[in-house]
Amino acid sequence: MKIKIVALLLAVFAGYSSNAHKENEVKKGILLVTFGTSYPEAQKVFKNIEKKVQQAYPEIPLRWAYTSKIIRKKLAKQGQIINSPAEALAKMGEEGFTHVTVQSLHVIPGEEYENLEKTVNAFQHMPKGVQKLTFGKPLLYSHSDNERLAAVFHNEFENKLSKKSAMVFMGHGTHHQANIYYPGFQYYLSELNKNYLVGTVEGFPELDKVIEKLKAQKIEKVILIPLMSVAGDHAQNDMAGSEEDSWKTILENEGFEVEIILKGMAEYDEVIAIWLNHLKSAFEEL
Ligand code: CO
């Protein structure tokens, strides 16, 4: 009888300790977070990033989240369910992830990035959830990021420039103080060639400012390209659309010849490498 009780206690204890062991097991994951897009072609471009991350971390499971509620709603109506960062982190906790690096795929540390940072902080030490989270910086954060991105573009597009042709990068722009990254990035591009110009759709500098410069520099041909992760709604419509108020139409009406490059930054491996560099730093902190 006594032996039976001891055996039972041992069995219970063994069960308990193996469960306890399981709970202490480290399970690392990566959550990639972008603003999102409802354009299927642009969505495919996110796969480029995914591929590069998987190559760098073949053992680490990857998850995605979009910060834009409008885009998530739009996609849900079409039957595509994409998580918000909070939903994704809650689910990862349920799946047993203990350590997660959240990588921002935003361009600047603006409002979307700041809100994501708040979400990540709120999830730190969530009971029964992910135990440790680290957060990767957006594309343009430090001096060296700006220098590096400008160099990538210069490598890629230098041969497109001439005395009379300029390249105009269309950034999103924001009321957030991080809008300063757009005129800031302009400085780094100008160091390489004065015919690289940055404009924004919703911030500063506006297209008017860009046109002033194009005229002052006696430019005849403008090459337009989005300074955005993917060529989604803004690139397709505000930049390259045929409506009266698209940048293409406005520039053509001003007498410029316009060429369009409808490629998001995530289509360039060297740009993805900058995000990967930030991911690497954050992952090392896990
Ligand atoms: Co927008």
Side-chain angles (χ1 to χ4, degrees), residues 14-235:
Y16 170 78
S17 65
S18 79
N19 272 340
H21 177 70
K22 236 183 187 166
E23 275 176 17
N24 285 334
E25 233 168 62
V26 169
K27 186 177 175 186
K28 290 183 179 179
I30 291 172
L31 176 63
L32 298 175
V33 184
T34 165
F35 179 79
T37 180
S38 57
Y39 277 65
E41 285 306 311
Q43 247 185 351
K44 277 185 206 152
V45 173
F46 289 136
K47 293 278 167 202
N48 283 346
I49 303 178
E50 189 170 304
K51 221 171 75 191
K52 295 281 171 198
V53 174
Q54 270 165 349
Q55 280 166 3
Y57 300 96
E59 312 285 313
I60 307 295
L62 270 187
R63 301 288 183 270
W64 278 92
Y66 285 8
T67 54
S68 169
K69 201 174 203 170
I70 297 170
I71 288 171
R72 289 196 315 267
K73 269 193 175 169
K74 206 168 162 187
L75 289 172
K77 274 186 196 152
Q78 299 161 10
Q80 193 185 354
I81 304 300
I82 301 217
N83 291 320
S84 71
E87 286 168 339
L89 287 173
K91 282 184 185 167
M92 288 180 93
E94 282 301 299
E95 282 183 74
F97 284 93
T98 57
H99 292 64
V100 173
T101 291
V102 179
Q103 177 58 46
S104 154
L105 297 174
H106 300 105
V107 177
I108 58 161
E111 194 174 9
E112 298 291 321
Y113 172 84
E114 216 169 75
N115 286 338
L116 178 59
E117 190 172 32
K118 283 178 193 161
T119 305
V120 171
N121 287 338
F123 270 86
Q124 295 278 9
H125 311 295
M126 189 71 89
K128 299 188 177 180
V130 178
Q131 288 308 296
K132 189 173 179 190
L133 290 136
T134 58
F135 189 34
K137 303 278 189 259
L139 185 66
L140 293 176
Y141 194 80
S142 66
H143 163 71
S144 65
D145 297 336
N146 280 272
E147 215 169 40
R148 208 170 149 181
L149 185 64
V152 168
F153 286 146
H154 193 49
N155 250 342
E156 191 76 33
F157 302 120
E158 193 184 2
N159 57 1
K160 282 195 163 284
L161 296 180
S162 71
K163 250 191 146 176
K164 291 184 172 172
S165 59
M167 194 143 185
V168 172
F169 295 89
M170 190 191 76
H172 192 280
T174 172
H175 56 273
H176 188 276
Q177 68 268 14
N179 187 78
I180 195 70
Y181 275 85
Y182 296 103
F185 184 54
Q186 173 71 70
Y187 177 91
Y188 292 86
L189 286 171
S190 301
E191 288 281 284
L192 302 171
N193 193 307
K194 67 173 173 32
N195 286 0
Y196 291 124
L197 295 172
V198 176
T200 65
V201 193
E202 291 173 22
F204 175 86
E206 288 168 347
L207 181 59
D208 290 357
K209 288 269 169 209
V210 174
I211 292 172
E212 267 172 40
K213 282 193 176 164
L214 291 170
K215 286 182 175 170
Q217 287 166 216
K218 306 227 177 336
I219 297 298
E220 291 171 5
K221 184 185 173 182
V222 174
I223 301 140
L224 279 175
I225 185 167
L227 186 66
M228 298 181 182
S229 58
V230 295
D233 191 40
H234 286 299

